[in-house]
């Protein structure tokens, strides 16, 4: 009989324990209990989120693989498929920033190459507490170095991403890692363990005691005992993973294997049981054959270890030697540890004794699913209302404050630590609306972006969910890419609290509505709950990773002004929406008000117009208007222009000046074009039912923004540029 | 004319370099596996960028013991052209084919960015298509690119015109500002005394197509092709 205390320590409830006993028809032993605790953890089982995630659209004509596998797969033509996914590594990065982030990269890479794809790009969505606190700085420094250390070494470019700062992420950072890979359609592999008698091969690093209970840790809140959890974090070895990547792709290319699965969260337990469950088989392994880093490891420890850089392969008996030869070439071993069996059991043997004997289905598919109670949080009533605010006296200063706020400031300090150019496909450098990755041998390119505004999601979760999708698609439209598929990472507090569950439900519904409107399927993703420290949750943070296709890379454009004397157009309408803006936060330290609302049909019309104008070759640049509003957008266009070109803009809208400059009304894109395209652009906009207007011209070394008969902003581009560029490095200067 | 690109475990610019030679310059190009003792009758050997052996111990330190390095050394002794890019440069230093050593970048961070380098020597097989004083815009991507040698070592390099590239500002000015990683004498690339083995930290293969933002790197490959022709 297992004591209640031990059950609780494994993160299982008494009811869950009773269900285990019922499923296997007896009390589990400790190793079996450990296996259930991992596979039934929130991280592996999605037990609180499943019921809501079902609302997301997941099908589409180009979907080859939707949610449920290691990553989503979509057909992109030319016999090629993209494999992509986003994963959180929040909890490990909190405990040990460098290794936590590094192994986050390692884990997502394995998810991609285990399906037969060569990873071609990484991106990260990072959220930290304010840099005014030393602790947050050290977390950020560690996370960025960890991402760089792993990605640079293995030679997959980290092509961009987003970085937000908010006190809700202090000290619980969010580290969401996105990866995309490219595969030949006929070379896609799945986590299958078919054919009784086929060999189960263990490849990669030896198994050690690191990472034991990683998945259960990721399913708990943090408290003062945090430091004790440090040994739970795994340690990454990017060199080993590089060898594993090359060897795995080589055996897949030569058609030597039946199925393959990486050992990520829940290690050997998850890979063996999932592969068997996916194929309706049983699987039997002998732990004495598993390569071990240290002596005296118990079956419990071996089954639960989350040591990195390990894979499980199922190969036909007669191909085992050929597989082993390829691994030897890469200085790795492929070791036979068991076989696929008839039946439906996971059987594990150690020291000549059977230590595990449970139906794979019970671990993989029969975890209880919860419909947790939800309730609209009371805080929303207080935050909805905005009192009248004074107009800042010096709008130039307000603007400088906004663009030196780390969330809006230049992120080059981060991006230049990442090798973002290796593989020679990066056609647009980090910092633009989206990353552009050419596909060698074709005219096409892929565009990828990560997006999710925590303030909107906090103040109005449903809008936050919709806008996250819409804005990511808008980012893609700005480089001329048609959105095709979505992966998402949903970061929340404790789902056992009804308010958190309500946020989750609302956001999922918002995302779903927007994905349906854009007709883009969600092909996978990840949910990270329990992002709380001492009972304080983070703002709900959905991160949407959306991939688009650029049919002809030569037509793609970027955000920076290209030339002097070009016309600046605003596509979309200015509205008086000041709630939830970066401006309120920066100027009044306020996270309040109704965030911008979105009309998805209007949004689509604006994006389609932008795409059509790019395709017709009418535009020189395009940039999405988001945090910081129209004013910040104009400055970014100047900063991202190779020649640091300024502009003169005049606005006539009847809107209070701060709201006009810094409001974050959605469905707006700022574009430039040679003057002789003016009438074509305006006519096209009219035909497509989009409000478009010429608001100024590029040129000069200043940015001047006039409103009715007043000058609101008059700033030297170089001055603003230096302030923007230096803000983050200044925070890290040793004084 | 045939090019050979060495693959060490952990090389990651091997295919990038291969693609440029094959697709941009239409050269016959082959890979050379580090465990072999066969350089396949190539006319120029390139040691590509990456993290050979994870750069564990020290950048390039383990790769020098790869079996193929014996042949590479002999090839170099006989006057064959050898180019080491980034990690390849670090391997050449460890092999003793070039003098000096690499320290961590002066800001103690990995640096990936476009930089400007000035051609200091035109009379080499790797730069003959360029002009002395010409400024090239080529990316770097390294943690250990801060070139170091003793005072005498540096003097020897200068006396023998062995400094091929220096980091500079966009207008060719040599300054602390332009010297991004803190290298002695702003060294970005050097050549051996015999003039057939060159190492450079910047990546010319990342600057050989307009779509990637610069084609300045082509000068280096075109120079080699002209020299061998």
């Amino acid at each position: 009989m297992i004591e209640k205390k031990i059950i609780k320590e494994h993160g299982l409830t008494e009811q869950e324990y009773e269900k285990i006993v019922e499923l296997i028809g007896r009390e589990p032993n400790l190793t079996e209990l450990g296996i259930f605790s991992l596979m039934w953890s929130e991280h592996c089982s999605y037990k609180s989120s499943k019921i809501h995630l079902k609302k997301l659209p997941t099908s589409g004509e180009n979907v080859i693989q939707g949610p449920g596998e290691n990553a989503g797969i979509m057909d992109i033509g030319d016999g090629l498929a993209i494999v992509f996914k986003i994963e959180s590594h929040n909890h490990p990065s909190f405990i040990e920033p460098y290794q936590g982030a590094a192994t986050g990269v390692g884990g997502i890479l394995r998810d991609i190459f285990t399906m037969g794809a060569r990873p071609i790009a990484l991106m990260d969505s990072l959220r930290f507490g304010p840099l005014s606190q030393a602790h947050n700085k050290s977390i950020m420094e560690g996370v960025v170095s960890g991402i760089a250390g792993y990605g640079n070494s293995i030679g997959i470019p980290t092509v961009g991403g987003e970085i937000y700062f908010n006190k809700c992420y202090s000290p619980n950072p969010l580290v969401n890692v996105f990866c995309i890979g490219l595969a030949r359609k006929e070379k896609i592999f799945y986590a299958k363990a078919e054919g009784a008698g086929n060999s189960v091969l263990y490849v990669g690093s030896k198994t050690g005691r690191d990472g034991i209970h990683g998945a259960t840790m990721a399913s708990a809140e943090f408290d003062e005992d945090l430091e004790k959890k440090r040994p739970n974090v795994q340690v990454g070895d990017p060199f080993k993973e590089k060898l594993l990547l090359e060897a795995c792709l080589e055996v897949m290319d030569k058609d030597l294997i039946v199925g393959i699965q990486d050992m990520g969260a829940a290690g050997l337990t998850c890979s063996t049981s999932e592969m068997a469950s996916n194929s309706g088989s049983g699987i039997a392994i002998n732990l004495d054959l598993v390569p071990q880093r240290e002596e005296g490891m118990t079956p419990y420890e071996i089954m639960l270890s989350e040591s990195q850089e390990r894979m499980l392969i199922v190969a036909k008996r007669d191909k085992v030697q050929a597989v082993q030869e390829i691994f030897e070439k890469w200085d790795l071993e492929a070791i036979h540890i068991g076989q696929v069996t008839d039946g439906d059991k996971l059987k594990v043997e150690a020291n000549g004794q059977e230590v595990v004997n449970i139906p794979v289905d019970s671990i993989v598919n029969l975890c209880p699913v919860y419909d947790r109670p939800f309730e609209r949080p009371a805080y929303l009533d207080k935050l909805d209302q905005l009192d009248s605010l004074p107009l800042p006296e010096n709008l130039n200063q307000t603007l400088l404050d906004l663009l030196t706020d780390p969330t809006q400031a230049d992120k080059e300090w981060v991006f230049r630590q990442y090798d973002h150019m290796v593989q020679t496909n990066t056609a647009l450098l980090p910092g633009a609306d989206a990353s552009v990755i050419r596909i060698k041998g074709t005219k096409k390119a892929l565009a990828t972006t990560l997006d999710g505004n925590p303030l909107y999601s906090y103040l109005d979760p449903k809008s936050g969910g919709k806008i996250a999708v819409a804005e990511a698609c808008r980012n893609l439209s700005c480089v001329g890419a048609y959105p095709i598929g979505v992966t998402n990472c949903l970061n929340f507090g404790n789902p056992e609290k009804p308010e958190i569950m309500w946020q989750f439900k609302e956001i999922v519904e918002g995302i779903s509505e927007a994905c349906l409107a854009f007709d883009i399927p969600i092909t996978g993703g990840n949910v990270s709950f329990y992002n709380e420290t001492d009972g304080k949750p983070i703002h709900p943070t959905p991160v949407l990773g959306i991939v688009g296709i650029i049919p002809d890379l030569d037509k793609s454009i970027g955000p920076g002004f290209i030339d002097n004397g070009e016309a600046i157009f605003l596509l979309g309408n200015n509205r008086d929406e000041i709630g939830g803006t970066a401006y309120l936060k920066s100027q009044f330290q306020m996270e309040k008000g109704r965030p911008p609302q979105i009309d998805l049909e209007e949004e689509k019309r604006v994006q389609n117009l932008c795409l059509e104008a790019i395709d017709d070759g009418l535009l020189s640049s395009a940039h999405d208007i988001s945090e910081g509003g129209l004013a910040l957008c104009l400055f970014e266009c100047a900063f991202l222009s190779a020649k640091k070109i300024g502009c003169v803009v005049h606005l006539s809208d009847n809107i209070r000046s701060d709201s006009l400059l810094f409001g974050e009304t959605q469905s707006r894109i700022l574009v430039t074009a040679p003057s002789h395209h003016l009438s074509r652009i305006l006519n096209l906009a009219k035909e497509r039912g989009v409000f478009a207007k010429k608001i100024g011209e590029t040129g000069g070394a200043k940015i001047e923004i006039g409103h009715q008969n007043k000058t609101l902003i008059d700033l030297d581009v170089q001055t603003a540029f230096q302030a923007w560029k230096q803000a983050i490095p200044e925070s890290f200067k040793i004084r | 004319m045939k090019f050979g690109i060495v693959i060490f475990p952990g090389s990651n610019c091997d295919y990038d370099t291969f693609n440029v030679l094959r697709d941009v310059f239409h050269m016959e190009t082959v890979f050379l596996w580090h465990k072999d003792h066969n350089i396949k009758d190539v006319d120029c050997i390139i040691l590509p960028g990456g993290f050979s052996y994870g750069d564990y111990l020290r950048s390039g330190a383990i790769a020098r013991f790869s079996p193929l390095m014996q042949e590479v050394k002999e090839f170099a002794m006989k006057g064959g052209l050898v180019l080491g890019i980034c990690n390849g440069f670090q391997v050449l230093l460890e092999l003793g084919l070039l003098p000096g050593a690499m320290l961590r970048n002066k800001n103690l961070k990995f640096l990936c960015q476009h930089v400007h380098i000035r051609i200091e020597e035109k009379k080499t097989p790797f730069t003959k298509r360029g002009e002395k004083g010409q400024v090239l815009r080529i990316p770097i991507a390294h943690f250990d690119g801060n070139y170091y040698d003793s005072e005498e070592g540096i003097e020897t390099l200068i006396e023998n015109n062995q400094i091929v590239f220096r980091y500079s500002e966009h207008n060719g000015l040599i300054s602390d500002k332009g010297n991004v990683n803190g290298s002695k004498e702003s060294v970005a690339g050097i050549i051996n005394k015999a003039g057939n083995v060159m190492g450079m930290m910047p990546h010319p293969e990342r600057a050989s197509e307009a779509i990637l933002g610069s084609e300045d790197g082509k000068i280096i490959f075109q120079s080699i092709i002209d020299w061998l022709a």
Side-chain angles (χ1 to χ4, degrees), chain A residues 571-607:
Chain A
L571 312 183
N573 288 293
N574 293 322
R575 293 196 187 96
D576 190 358
E577 291 181 298
I578 200 80
T581 55
Y583 162 70
L584 282 189
K585 184 169 172 280
S586 144
Q587 187 70 18
F588 301 99
Q589 291 75 49
M590 238 181 221
E591 299 190 344
K592 282 184 85 170
R594 200 165 85 120
Q597 299 297 300
I598 187 164
D599 173 344
L600 292 168
E601 289 309 312
E602 179 189 10
E603 177 74 46
K604 271 167 56 186
R605 285 196 298 273
V606 172
Q607 292 188 20

Side-chain angles (χ1 to χ4, degrees), chain A residues 34-90:
Chain A
I35 287 175
F36 275 102
S37 88
L38 277 187
M39 296 298 289
W40 285 17
S41 68
E42 190 65 60
H43 184 82
C44 292
S45 73
Y46 295 86
K47 58 189 169 190
S48 303
S49 55
K50 230 176 203 169
I51 209 160
H52 298 288
L53 295 177
K54 281 189 187 142
K55 297 171 196 158
L56 297 170
T58 57
S59 56
E61 58 175 328
N62 296 321
V63 176
I64 297 175
Q65 175 66 52
E69 265 282 351
N70 288 297
I73 309 180
M74 295 195 73
D75 189 339
I76 57 161
D78 298 315
L80 297 172
I82 50 166
V83 179
F84 63 106
K85 167 97 175 278
I86 188 166
E87 271 266 2
S88 63
H89 236 222
N90 306 336

